Amino acid sequence: MSNRNLLLLILGGVLVFLPGCHPKTSGRQVIDLSGQGWYLWQDKDAAWENDELFLPPVDLSKVSTNAPTGGWDSLKSKEAMSVSVPGTVEEYFGKGLGPGSMVKGVTWWIREFEIPSDASGKVLRLQFDSVRMRAEVYVNRKLVAYDIVGNTPFEADISKVVKPGEKVQLAVRVTNPGGNFDWKDVDPMKWGKYLIPISHGFSGVTGGVHLAITDPVYFDDLYIQNTPSKTAINAIATVNNTSSQKLAGTVTVTVFEKPTGKKVFSKDLPGLEFAPGESTIICPVSVPDAKLWSIETPDLYRMTVILNTGDRNTDATSRTFGFRWFSLDGIGS
């Protein structure tokens, strides 16, 4: 199926097919797990002060499973509070203002959701925009992700731990070792035998949570790189092939004016090969009449990349960006 015959709408990086179209694909499906439907429980007796910590990349087989104190059924305690994500422990359990509101230790953020019945053979990834500080992510009581960096995106492939049509429990164990409530970040913070950079003392699931469902070949990232030639950029897309076979395909790069939807650039990159694992595609993009971004005139554009393998539209994603370049001259003079 050619791109001309494919009627689609890109909304926030999600591929949505409009009624009346019947492409040979299911595209990318993104389920928003943010908002209401979460419960928060404070595990006051949990030990954490002397834990072994792990920097990325993390081998989960080396990370101990930390069940809730009193067992997994403790997460259904009457003390669990109905909350919304993004959220912080301090806004629900904190007392006072500033440092007085900080809740150190372990809390659990829990919710249930259903895996779509048509997800067989798909790649399912839980995506977290931000958690502070340490996040241990469990799906049906199985550890699927660990993040100690805090306040940065991370994800977990849960394809092998869930089944289509199944209702699953998502439980995020969040540990807050402490922190500051000002902008002083000189002194490190001690966590057991470790020294870690200081950061703000609130904790929780502080960003959105999504479930991304894709074919085995999908866009893992789209990076838009500005250049000194202000109206020229590079589209750098990372394609992840989770299958065991090399696949051939085409990537289409399109740029639109964000406010009007006017197309200002489009290019097909045919004859690409995607070996198992990651592949990087770089497409130079030139829009000579592009409006430059500035504080006074914050003109923005939207880039969409579409991946076709054979006669299938396999995946699509998009990013908002601005044309801009700045540099620091005269350093050292």
Side-chain angles (χ1 to χ4, degrees):
M1 176 175 290
S2 70
N3 292 325
R4 291 191 301 273
N5 296 327
L6 181 62
L7 182 60
L8 54 86
L9 176 66
I10 299 292
L11 290 174
V14 183
L15 185 62
V16 181
F17 291 99
L18 301 181
C21 304
H22 302 283
K24 295 181 180 179
T25 181
S26 59
R28 172 182 294 217
Q29 182 181 3
V30 178
I31 299 173
D32 191 355
L33 300 177
S34 310
Q36 300 293 326
W38 289 80
Y39 289 86
L40 174 62
W41 179 69
Q42 185 178 2
D43 199 346
K44 297 179 181 179
D45 296 325
W48 58 272
E49 291 90 342
N50 297 309
D51 284 353
E52 183 178 4
L53 305 181
F54 300 88
L55 289 173
V58 178
D59 181 355
L60 292 181
S61 66
K62 297 181 180 179
V63 181
S64 300
T65 296
N66 289 308
T69 303
W72 288 100
D73 288 339
S74 300
L75 298 183
K76 300 177 182 179
S77 167
K78 293 181 180 180
E79 297 177 357
M81 179 184 296
S82 177
V83 297
S84 181
V85 164
T88 66
V89 178
E90 283 67 27
E91 69 180 288
Y92 295 108
F93 293 152
K95 298 178 181 179
L97 298 174
S101 69
M102 183 168 57
V103 180
K104 292 178 70 172
V106 172
T107 54
W108 289 84
W109 297 72
I110 316 106
R111 71 159 297 152
E112 292 185 342
F113 65 95
E114 189 170 316
I115 304 298
S117 58
D118 60 353
S120 180
K122 302 289 186 178
V123 176
L124 293 87
R125 292 173 294 146
L126 275 175
Q127 299 175 325
F128 292 84
D129 291 341
S130 174
V131 177
R132 188 199 183 270
M133 170 88 173
R134 178 180 63 182
E136 298 162 273
V137 181
Y138 293 86
V139 171
N140 289 345
R141 305 182 181 182
K142 179 177 177 60
L143 182 66
V144 297
Y146 177 103
D147 179 73
I148 190 63
V149 177
N151 294 326
T152 57
F154 67 96
E155 66 179 37
D157 188 334
I158 62 170
S159 308
K160 296 181 179 179
V161 299
V162 297
K163 298 177 182 179
E166 177 186 22
K167 179 175 284 188
V168 301
Q169 182 193 63
L170 169 60
V172 185
R173 185 179 190 261
V174 177
T175 307
N176 182 12
N180 64 7
F181 282 77
D182 55 34
W183 296 105
K184 182 181 179 182
D185 57 2
V186 177
D187 299 323
M189 179 170 57
K190 192 171 183 180
W191 184 341
K193 63 181 180 181
Y194 304 95
L195 289 177
I196 58 178
I198 194 72
S199 60
H200 284 171
F202 51 82
S203 67
V205 181
T206 53
V209 183
H210 301 85
L211 175 67
I213 305 173
T214 62
D215 281 352
V217 184
Y218 61 88
F219 286 113
D220 194 42
D221 190 29
L222 174 59
Y223 167 52
I224 299 172
Q225 181 186 65
N226 294 84
T227 73
S229 179
K230 297 178 182 179
T231 59
I233 58 176
N234 292 315
I236 304 177
T238 303
V239 175
N240 193 9
N241 180 0
T242 63
S243 74
S244 59
Q245 298 179 342
K246 181 187 293 186
L247 296 174
T250 298
V251 169
T252 300
V253 179
T254 309
V255 177
F256 305 88
E257 290 183 350
K258 188 179 180 185
T260 66
K262 177 184 176 182
K263 185 191 297 184
V264 296
F265 177 89
S266 185
K267 185 175 182 179
D268 290 331
L269 305 174
L272 301 175
E273 289 189 343
F274 307 109
E278 288 190 352
S279 303
T280 301
I281 301 141
I282 301 176
C283 175
V285 174
S286 177
V287 183
D289 297 327
K291 302 172 185 177
L292 302 184
W293 186 95
S294 69
I295 294 176
E296 294 75 22
T297 57
D299 293 293
L300 293 174
Y301 291 78
R302 190 77 172 168
M303 177 182 290
T304 296
V305 289
I306 300 172
L307 171 63
N308 290 278
T309 55
D311 62 349
R312 289 175 53 81
N313 183 281
T314 306
D315 194 21
T317 190
S318 61
R319 293 287 187 275
T320 297
F321 71 98
F323 286 91
R324 180 166 186 196
W325 181 263
F326 65 91
S327 61
L328 302 177
D329 299 324
I331 294 177
S333 63

